[in-house]
Amino acid sequence: MCRDCCCGSARKHPDVDHAGQVARLRSALGQAGVRVSACLDACERSNIVVVHPTPTARRAGARPVWLGYVLDDAVIGDLTAWVEAGGPGIVPLPEILGLYRTNPPTGQG
């Protein structure tokens, strides 16, 4: 989860509880399951969240899924449910989260 210059910025998104998003994800997925990152170079699509597959799914070919515009509790809830169900490579991306899917910047992913 990006929390640098634009993502996580009350200046850019004053109506979003940025700390609350991180806390809610960590509460549902565990402290180790949520990493806060420096800039992911996708500021125009903030807030950016990258969901990594499990090691087993990664070995089977699954790749990280980038989501942009993660700005409300409903998206956090849908994201949490998907990850709890298995996430990338295990459970198909829910249609609603497909609306938030974005490509990583060149050189990432």
Side-chain angles (χ1 to χ4, degrees):
M1 173 174 264
C2 188
R3 284 293 178 259
D4 202 19
C5 59
C6 296
C7 294
S9 165
R11 180 178 32 91
K12 185 168 184 178
H13 302 293
D15 297 331
V16 175
D17 179 2
H18 301 285
Q21 283 186 332
V22 174
R24 185 169 173 204
L25 287 170
R26 284 186 170 154
S27 175
L29 304 175
Q31 187 73 19
V34 179
R35 289 183 286 171
V36 174
S37 176
C39 188
L40 294 171
D41 256 352
C43 299
E44 69 281 0
R45 295 168 274 162
S46 69
N47 289 335
I48 292 289
V49 174
V50 182
V51 183
H52 291 270
T54 65
T56 302
R58 172 74 92 164
R59 284 190 295 277
R63 294 292 168 250
V65 173
W66 285 61
L67 303 172
Y69 310 105
V70 179
L71 297 168
D72 63 50
D73 286 342
V75 179
I76 295 293
D78 294 332
L79 171 62
T80 299
W82 178 51
V83 171
E84 287 174 327
I90 305 295
V91 176
L93 183 69
E95 192 173 317
I96 191 71
L97 289 178
L99 299 173
Y100 297 88
R101 189 169 194 166
T102 188
N103 293 320
T106 305
Q108 294 193 34

